[in-house]
């Protein structure tokens, strides 16, 4: 396979997998409707470039919505825009656009020099009501709602409300200054950054992007397509990985590498203690579908590998880290985790294996995460835990 891309081709530098608001964690449940309001959101790109375009999304919308105006610029603290970096976004030359239900839409490209790891401020004005918000939940980066058309506001006013999700934006593509390839991380809440410090870019994919940028590597373009609570084989919180793989991974501009960090929720939910009146009853209702076996999970991995290889990309996988102490843990689930991990390590399906289980497990209690690496729930990492995962990855895997 070719390891480089000609300069001048689009490469994805930031992404957040779209999901329906009601398929998320419920962060928008009590939020006022989005209507006659400006959304201002901050995203941190991974690799840099000299032109950008923004992908907006209505992919889970039940009706069209209108973007009345949109702008992008380099962000400074608190969502403000660096003077002189403001750019008006247009759509086929027009300042406004209606986004059809079920569809994404790309802005026209704008010239804007963007360094690696730069933060962008993206503003869009919604003159009408958004009936169903396509979002990514949670955001882990503060966004704001400002009444009326405030896309040109240089700073976020003190009266602005907090937007708890990534709303209606799903990607930023750049034109790099040299050969580049994109990495897509496809995972669940552990890859989505659950447990990390908000507004600090401390998920392990973001930390990996930082390491790649420091080395000046052409594969320092990373799109995190993880969804908290997501599973490989069944819908629930977000569409199943097998269902969204073409959209969220294979359609990525400049795609060169895929890192699969999935399967943990399939195992955890399938083998979790069943009790209709117990503390898990409400949680398990969020995860429909019949329980799956380890053979089902392995077959799912094989499907993802086959579909990725058709596009000529390298496929890596992480082992599933421990989770004893979490409410979904069971002895049967631990046995299944060990079986799947053994296959990941020795089955020969992947171009490389990132052994996250080995990084996180407690040497004295290998079915537990090290005490200093989890956020308190025995399931998700803290900043130190995610840093350890990012530091364990061999950067030479990415060219």
């Amino acid at each position: 396979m070719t390891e480089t891309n000609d300069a001048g081709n689009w490469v994805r530098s930031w992404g957040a997998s779209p999901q329906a608001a009601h398929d998320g964690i419920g962060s928008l449940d009590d939020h006022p409707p989005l209507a006659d309001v400006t959304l201002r959101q901050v995203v941190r790109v991974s690799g840099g470039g000299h032109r950008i375009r923004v992908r907006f999304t209505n992919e889970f919308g039940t009706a069209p919505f209108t973007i009345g105006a949109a702008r992008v610029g380099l962000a400074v603290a608190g969502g403000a825009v660096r003077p002189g970096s403001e750019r008006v976004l247009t759509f086929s030359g027009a300042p406004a656009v209606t986004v059809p239900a079920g569809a994404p839409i790309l802005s026209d490209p704008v010239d804007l020099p963007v360094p690696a790891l730069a933060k962008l401020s993206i503003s869009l004005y919604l003159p009408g009501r958004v009936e169903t918000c396509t979002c990514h939940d949670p955001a882990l980066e503060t966004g704001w709602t400002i009444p009326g058309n405030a896309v040109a506001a240089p700073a976020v006013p003190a009266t602005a409300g907090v937007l708890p999700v990534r709303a209606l934006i799903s990607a930023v593509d750049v034109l790099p200054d040299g050969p580049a390839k994109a990495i897509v991380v496809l995972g669940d809440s552990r890859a989505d950054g659950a447990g990390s410090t908000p507004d600090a870019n401390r998920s392990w994919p973001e930390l990996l992007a930082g390491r790649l940028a420091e080395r000046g590597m052409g594969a320092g373009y990373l799109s995190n397509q993880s969804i908290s609570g997501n599973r490989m084989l069944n819908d629930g919180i977000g569409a199943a990985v097998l269902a969204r793989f073409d959209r969220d991974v294979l359609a990525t501009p400049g795609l060169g590498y895929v890192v699969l960090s999935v399967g943990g929720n399939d195992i955890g939910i399938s083998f979790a203690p069943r009790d209709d009146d117990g503390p898990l009853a409400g949680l398990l209702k969020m995860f429909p579908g019949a329980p799956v076996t380890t053979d089902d999970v392995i077959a799912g991995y094989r499907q993802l590998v086959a579909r990725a290889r058709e596009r000529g990309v390298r496929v890596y996988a992480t082992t599933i880290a421990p989770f004893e102490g979490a409410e979904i843990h069971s002895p049967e689930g631990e046995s299944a985790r060990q079986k799947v991990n053994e296959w990941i390590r020795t089955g020969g399906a992947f171009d490389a294996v990132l052994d996250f289980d080995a990084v996180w497990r407690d040497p004295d209690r290998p079915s537990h995460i090290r005490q200093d690496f989890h956020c308190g729930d025995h399931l998700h990492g803290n900043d130190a835990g995610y840093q350890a995962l990012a530091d364990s990855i061999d950067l030479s895997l990415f060219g």
Side-chain angles (χ1 to χ4, degrees):
M1 81 172 234
T2 302
E3 291 294 330
T4 59
N5 222 0
D6 292 335
N9 291 344
W10 290 103
V11 181
R12 185 140 297 162
S13 190
W14 174 84
S17 181
Q19 58 192 118
H22 63 272
D23 284 342
I25 304 172
S27 301
L28 272 181
D29 287 354
D30 299 318
H31 195 276
L34 300 178
D36 189 24
V37 67
T38 295
L39 309 185
R40 178 162 293 186
Q41 301 172 77
V42 174
V43 306
R44 193 189 77 167
V45 300
S46 47
H50 57 277
R51 301 193 88 196
I52 69 167
R53 64 185 185 189
V54 179
R55 180 181 169 115
F56 298 90
T57 176
N58 194 22
E59 283 155 283
F60 288 93
T62 57
F65 75 85
T66 297
I67 299 174
R71 289 199 183 195
V72 65
L74 296 173
V76 294
V81 182
R82 184 180 302 173
S85 71
E86 312 93 333
R87 301 290 189 273
V88 173
L89 293 177
T90 57
F91 307 88
S92 298
V97 68
T98 296
V99 187
I105 198 161
L106 287 170
S107 74
D108 297 333
V110 294
D111 292 326
L112 179 64
V114 178
L117 306 182
K119 290 196 173 187
L120 297 177
S121 176
I122 301 171
S123 300
L124 64 152
Y125 170 54
L126 304 171
R129 182 182 174 112
V130 177
E131 296 297 335
T132 306
C133 182
T134 299
C135 65
H136 183 86
D137 189 4
L140 288 182
E141 185 104 43
T142 302
W144 299 268
T145 57
I146 309 169
N149 184 351
V151 298
V156 175
T159 55
V162 173
L163 180 65
V165 297
R166 293 284 188 201
L168 310 179
I169 59 173
S170 62
V172 174
D173 301 332
V174 304
L175 281 179
D177 295 320
K181 282 289 185 181
I183 304 163
V184 174
V185 174
L186 187 65
D188 49 35
S189 55
R190 286 165 155 178
D192 207 18
S196 66
T197 301
D199 295 314
N201 308 111
R202 301 294 295 176
S203 70
W204 71 258
E206 289 171 306
L207 293 166
L208 171 60
R211 290 188 65 209
L212 291 165
E214 289 172 2
R215 297 284 184 91
M217 298 181 69
Y221 295 77
L222 191 147
S223 175
N224 189 353
Q225 295 297 305
S226 304
I227 296 178
S228 294
N230 205 214
R231 290 177 291 175
M232 189 192 320
L233 300 167
N234 287 306
D235 293 347
I237 299 183
V241 165
L242 283 167
R244 64 188 182 92
F245 193 64
D246 286 18
R247 180 197 68 191
D248 289 352
V249 178
L250 300 185
T252 300
L255 180 64
Y257 308 89
V258 179
V259 181
L260 301 175
S261 192
V262 295
N265 284 331
D266 295 81
I267 290 171
I269 296 302
S270 293
F271 293 93
R274 256 53 184 181
D275 184 351
D276 291 342
D277 299 319
L280 274 177
L283 175 66
L284 294 178
K285 288 180 181 177
M286 300 171 65
F287 297 92
V292 301
T293 68
T294 55
D295 287 343
D296 294 330
V297 173
I298 290 169
Y301 278 117
R302 291 188 185 280
Q303 282 289 311
L304 296 173
V305 170
R307 289 160 65 184
R309 291 259 168 78
E310 288 179 349
R311 302 297 178 91
V313 302
R314 294 187 181 275
V315 187
Y316 306 144
T318 73
T319 51
I320 300 169
F323 56 92
E324 184 169 352
E327 57 185 355
I328 62 171
H329 182 268
S330 69
E332 296 80 11
E334 175 62 19
S335 177
R337 183 183 75 88
Q338 295 286 0
K339 181 178 178 180
V340 171
N341 276 350
E342 180 65 17
W343 176 81
I344 291 173
R345 292 185 181 105
T346 65
F350 307 103
D351 294 296
V353 173
L354 313 180
D355 200 346
F356 284 5
D357 170 49
V359 177
W360 266 13
R361 66 183 178 227
D362 187 328
D364 298 322
R365 301 183 303 166
S367 60
H368 291 75
I369 301 173
R370 279 178 41 169
Q371 190 65 29
D372 55 337
F373 279 176
H374 70 80
C375 66
D377 63 359
H378 301 275
L379 181 62
H380 300 104
N382 56 21
D383 290 355
Y386 290 132
Q387 186 72 63
L389 296 183
D391 288 346
S392 73
I393 298 172
D394 180 359
L395 299 187
S396 69
L397 293 174
F398 302 104

